[in-house]
Amino acid sequence: MSKKKVIIIAAAAVLLIAGVLFVLFVSVGGNKKSREIAVEEAENLIKSTFDAAAVSKPLEAISQKYSFKVNSLEYGNEKDIIAECEISSVRVAEVIRNNYSSFLSSDVKKLNGLMYKSALDFKIEFEKKLTELVDTAEGFSETRNIRIYDTEDRGLVVYTDDDLVDTVYGGIITVIDEIGGIESYQTVEDGKTVEKKIESTNVKKGLIQAISPRYDPTVPDTSNALGRWWNGVKKDFVNNFIMYDRWTTIFKGLAVTIELTVLALLIGIIIGFAVAFVRCTHDCRPKNGPLISVLNAVSKVYLTVIRGTPVVVQIMIIYFVIFMPLRVNKFLSAVICFGLNSGAYVAEIVRGGIMSVDAGQSEAGRSLGFSYAATMTYIIFPQAFKAVLPALANEFVVLLKETSIAFYIGLGDLMYAGNAIRAATYSPFMPLVAVALIYLVMVVGLSNLVGRLEKKLRSSDR
Amino acid sequence: MSTVENRTQKGEVIIKVTDLKKSYKETIHALRGVSLEVKKGEVVVIIGPSGSGKSTILRSLNLLEIPTSGKIYFEGEDITSHKADLNRIRQKMGMVFQQFNLFPHMTVLKNMTIAPRKLLKLTKEEAETKAIKLLEKVGLADRADAYPSQLSGGQKQRVAIVRALCMEPDVMLFDEPTSALDPEMVGEVLEVMKRLAKDGMTMVVVTHEMGFAREVADRIIFMSDGLIVEEGSPEEIFDRPKNDRTREFCRRVSSQ
């Protein structure tokens, strides 16, 4: 087997793979145009999408407070349309001001007899602050490219950009927080300037309710600190898990995470054993054909690339560069990515396992007349597998955590579910800690099982 | 070679080795030109001090060691040629190792039947009947379902011997089969080997058991420093050694 031959065969293999990928790309991914739509249709579509996204936010019907103006439409090659859309918050002030008077008249009266006298002072101060903030909120105006897909099953779908939704809402949330945050005002009583405090929570509640009718201020505000805290926790819990059946999101995500991990590990084990077989054959057997040399070279490149680059980068490349243009779905892309990734680590584990099997075993197999491959299959692999079983189980645990990286391509796994709830409820603590706890319970449970397995295997070895 | 021709043993030549050399890294010469013949039905015992190359020559016979140069013929076929079908040839040469090398993940019965079933294409029943018969001969029929880790060293080696016999080999190679055993277990293994020799099996044995060599061997080969120094009948080697090194070796082992 000359070096020249190896190079020629390797080059041919690379060309063949490149050719197949190219044909796939052209035939599957390329040149599909969406149907043409009117600017108004695009505008309505975007509006209704943002409204739908707003259902889970503290505000309703965002399109009532913001204007969406589509300037132009561009048709892409993947049945997609890029709409250049101007989003401005021109109507925020209008909405807040409409509710402003009712807020003042109702809420300030509530502040006991004390307030009546100096309500004007308070009103002036409050108006100043409100004007300032509304001006800020109204200043929001941005032009964004919003992507619309012409899908087969769901018709036209706007690619919702969480970041944009957050930005848009951010303006209003700031207003509420700042105004709701006013806690005291000054007034003159008997010729003296007096600092007066107000129930900030009442102000906030009133304002939020004025803007967003769905907010329920009838929840009792318990006066003691512990009660308030517990009340907050309860509200948070309901908001994050019970409302809109959000807990189902978590369990759907958990199912995706487990499926992804199991499938990826299966692929990883298959690749791992194959690569380990090639590497060991190349290193340990004196005479080898050209196929093994080529496969060994490919394996080495594979191991170097996979173990030399971060898995985040790998999944981004595999999905966005390779599979998205081919319209392979996210789940399959993630399974393949983590399978490939895990395969590299499993390969090294298995190689260690094969090396740990006594050389006499292979000699005994060969001396009975088994071929190299048969010796591997019947004698070496079963022993190596037993030796590396705990390490493989460990790899499963590691992989379980690592799959949370699929978040980067927007796959709806456990991590994604937690984050989606966070983005919807604006309360990061509960959903993220819940996700962390689920991972922790699974990892601790599995590690425990691995430990028992290890003990059992060791005792059966004697 | 004169001694070989003088042998009274009848039968064709089954193994023929000519000028076999083996070196590692071009500096360590394990074999420095060894030629020998083994005839059908013959029991050849190779002795010599450690490092003399006796294990290397034995392991070369079924090409577990690849010789650097020289030829090995088995049943008339050049097995050092790259055209030779090694897997088929090895089926005809049973090998017993110092460390037994039983497969720890299989029962005794599975150890014995896997090769006949996969290579000779015997059915499970055929292979098991044959295996049980052989186990009975070595007194281990009741351990058929045991795992190797549950056996004593002597039992392990007896299983290893019958495992090789299951393939119905033409030659049996023994690489120091009793060296890893506790002294009280050496006897049971040698007993099996003696019976095998009596049944007419062609055997090449590397051993330190001089009593066994004297009793069973048709011919003894004394090796030293990668060369065959002397060969002949047990009486010739042990009682009337011609070479100084043979004499020295025999004196040392008999004084132990």
Side-chain angles (χ1 to χ4, degrees), chain B:
Chain B
M1 279 292 153
S2 58
T3 44
V4 173
E5 281 140 29
N6 291 343
R7 297 297 306 161
T8 49
Q9 181 82 29
K10 291 229 167 71
E12 62 201 283
V13 173
I14 191 164
I15 297 175
K16 184 178 172 187
V17 177
T18 57
D19 198 28
L20 202 70
K21 288 181 183 160
K22 171 78 185 178
S23 50
Y24 301 98
K25 293 174 187 169
E26 289 167 21
T27 52
I28 303 155
H29 302 285
L31 297 177
R32 302 192 291 174
V34 174
S35 301
L36 60 86
E37 281 182 10
V38 179
K39 285 178 182 162
K40 204 168 176 61
E42 198 178 24
V43 176
V44 175
V45 173
I46 305 175
I47 60 170
S50 55
S52 60
K54 53 192 193 310
S55 266
T56 310
I57 183 77
L58 189 83
R59 289 161 55 81
S60 296
L61 293 182
N62 67 352
L63 292 183
L64 283 183
E65 299 281 351
I66 308 289
T68 316
S69 70
K71 297 262 182 234
I72 301 167
Y73 298 90
F74 177 67
E75 296 179 338
E77 185 183 354
D78 178 8
I79 64 171
T80 45
S81 144
H82 65 273
K83 281 182 217 146
D85 180 359
L86 271 184
N87 298 330
R88 185 180 49 77
I89 291 158
R90 283 183 179 138
Q91 292 177 20
K92 296 270 130 204
M93 299 171 124
M95 178 124 182
V96 176
F97 299 88
Q98 182 177 352
Q99 297 297 340
F100 329 127
N101 295 344
L102 294 180
F103 307 135
H105 58 301
M106 300 176 188
T107 61
V108 166
L109 201 61
K110 187 88 195 292
N111 258 284
M112 294 174 67
T113 52
I114 181 160
R117 284 180 61 194
K118 302 287 179 194
L119 298 171
L120 305 181
K121 306 288 175 206
L122 297 190
T123 65
K124 190 164 184 264
E125 289 72 32
E126 287 169 342
E128 284 183 355
T129 316
K130 196 158 114 185
I132 297 280
K133 219 177 264 172
L134 282 163
L135 279 176
E136 275 165 1
K137 274 192 181 170
V138 296
L140 287 171
D142 57 327
R143 307 312 306 273
D145 294 322
Y147 279 90
S149 61
Q150 299 163 318
L151 302 178
S152 73
Q155 290 174 327
K156 280 184 201 169
Q157 196 61 297
R158 281 185 278 161
V159 171
I161 293 171
V162 287
R163 178 175 73 177
L165 289 176
C166 273
M167 290 297 289
E168 297 181 348
D170 294 341
V171 178
M172 285 285 285
L173 309 175
F174 292 85
D175 186 7
E176 304 199 23
T178 56
S179 298
L181 295 177
D182 291 340
E184 76 266 23
M185 292 173 180
V186 171
E188 62 192 63
V189 172
L190 291 182
E191 204 49 52
V192 171
M193 289 169 66
K194 278 179 203 166
R195 202 135 27 94
L196 200 57
K198 209 179 283 170
D199 290 347
M201 175 60 77
T202 313
M203 292 162 66
V204 182
V205 186
V206 170
T207 187
H208 292 292
E209 295 295 326
M210 295 307 153
F212 171 81
R214 186 187 274 273
E215 186 186 335
V216 180
D218 294 310
R219 183 154 52 94
I220 298 212
I221 292 176
F222 174 72
M223 285 186 71
S224 181
D225 292 330
L227 287 170
I228 293 181
V229 175
E230 195 170 347
E231 63 180 303
S233 68
E235 296 74 33
E236 283 167 344
I237 297 292
F238 289 123
D239 302 336
R240 305 182 294 278
K242 296 187 189 101
N243 189 292
D244 286 348
R245 272 187 287 178
T246 320
R247 200 171 302 135
E248 172 68 12
F249 179 78
C250 291
R251 194 180 55 74
R252 222 178 313 142
V253 290
S254 60
S255 70
Q256 270 168 5

Side-chain angles (χ1 to χ4, degrees), chain A residues 7 40 49 95 105 111 121 136 176 181 195 203 211 216 261 281 330 341 343 347 398 409-410 420 423 431 448:
Chain A
I7 292 169
E40 290 75 31
T49 305
V95 173
S105 57
L111 301 175
D121 293 345
T136 320
I176 293 171
E195 179 94 2
V203 177
I211 300 173
D216 180 12
T261 309
T281 305
K330 288 172 181 174
N341 184 273
V398 171
I409 60 167
N448 201 332

Side-chain angles (χ1 to χ4, degrees), chain A residues 236-276:
Chain A
D236 238 20
F237 184 82
V238 169
N239 201 18
N240 280 307
F241 301 122
I242 311 293
M243 240 161 76
Y244 307 111
D245 284 339
R246 285 194 176 116
W247 60 274
T248 56
T249 316
I250 296 249
F251 280 93
K252 276 178 202 154
L254 176 62
V256 171
T257 288
I258 292 172
E259 281 169 38
L260 173 59
T261 309
V262 170
L263 290 175
L265 191 75
L266 281 180
I267 293 180
I269 287 176
I270 292 167
I271 294 178
F273 267 85
V275 169

Side-chain angles (χ1 to χ4, degrees), chain A residues 56-58 236 239-241 246 420-428 431:
Chain A
S56 56
K57 313 273 171 178
D236 238 20
N239 201 18
N240 280 307
F241 301 122
R246 285 194 176 116
I421 294 176
R422 180 202 63 79
T425 60
Y426 280 96
S427 74

Side-chain angles (χ1 to χ4, degrees), chain A residues 27-250:
Chain A
S27 66
V28 182
N31 224 20
K32 295 218 171 127
K33 285 237 194 305
S34 157
R35 72 176 167 90
E36 294 202 5
I37 57 169
V39 168
E40 290 75 31
E41 194 179 353
E43 255 167 31
N44 286 335
L45 206 57
I46 293 170
K47 260 186 213 169
S48 59
T49 305
F50 273 84
D51 278 347
V55 164
S56 56
K57 313 273 171 178
L59 297 168
E60 275 185 357
I62 190 169
S63 61
Q64 305 272 307
K65 290 127 191 161
Y66 279 73
S67 78
F68 294 85
K69 187 170 173 295
V70 171
N71 293 331
S72 69
L73 294 170
E74 199 183 301
Y75 293 88
N77 275 343
E78 300 156 31
K79 297 191 91 178
D80 60 335
I81 308 161
I82 297 158
E84 194 192 281
C85 183
E86 210 180 301
I87 307 161
S88 30
S89 57
V90 283
R91 298 172 72 186
V92 172
E94 198 184 313
V95 173
I96 294 180
R97 274 178 210 287
N98 277 347
N99 292 285
Y100 173 51
S101 54
S102 68
F103 153 67
L104 263 191
S105 57
S106 66
D107 224 0
V108 171
K109 271 178 207 158
K110 270 186 196 167
L111 301 175
N112 301 329
L114 255 169
M115 285 297 99
Y116 256 121
K117 256 186 183 172
S118 44
L120 191 64
D121 293 345
F122 172 67
K123 197 179 169 186
I124 291 165
E125 181 67 22
F126 188 81
E127 172 109 49
K128 226 169 96 190
K129 187 83 186 166
L130 183 67
T131 311
E132 198 179 291
L133 284 161
V134 167
D135 283 350
T136 320
E138 280 202 359
F140 178 82
S141 177
E142 253 184 83
T143 305
R144 294 270 188 137
N145 284 333
I146 295 177
R147 202 178 276 260
I148 304 168
Y149 286 103
D150 185 2
T151 64
E152 273 165 32
D153 46 346
R154 288 182 297 155
L156 291 171
V157 170
V158 174
Y159 184 77
T160 33
D161 184 343
D162 264 357
D163 172 48
L164 180 61
V165 175
D166 287 356
T167 313
V168 168
Y169 280 104
I172 295 177
I173 296 298
T174 314
V175 174
I176 293 171
D177 277 356
E178 288 280 323
I179 291 176
I182 300 173
E183 287 181 341
S184 65
Y185 62 95
Q186 285 186 341
T187 184
V188 179
E189 276 176 21
D190 304 333
K192 274 190 252 168
T193 312
V194 190
E195 179 94 2
K196 292 284 180 192
K197 281 194 184 292
I198 55 167
E199 277 290 341
S200 64
T201 48
N202 286 345
V203 177
K204 202 169 177 174
K205 266 187 208 166
L207 187 59
I208 293 174
Q209 196 191 8
I211 300 173
S212 180
R214 188 145 16 95
Y215 182 80
D216 180 12
T218 56
V219 175
D221 182 14
T222 30
S223 51
N224 72 61
L226 189 69
R228 259 207 309 277
W229 174 81
W230 178 238
N231 216 38
V233 170
K234 269 201 302 204
K235 214 181 80 197
D236 238 20
F237 184 82
V238 169
N239 201 18
N240 280 307
F241 301 122
I242 311 293
M243 240 161 76
Y244 307 111
D245 284 339
R246 285 194 176 116
W247 60 274
T248 56
T249 316
I250 296 249

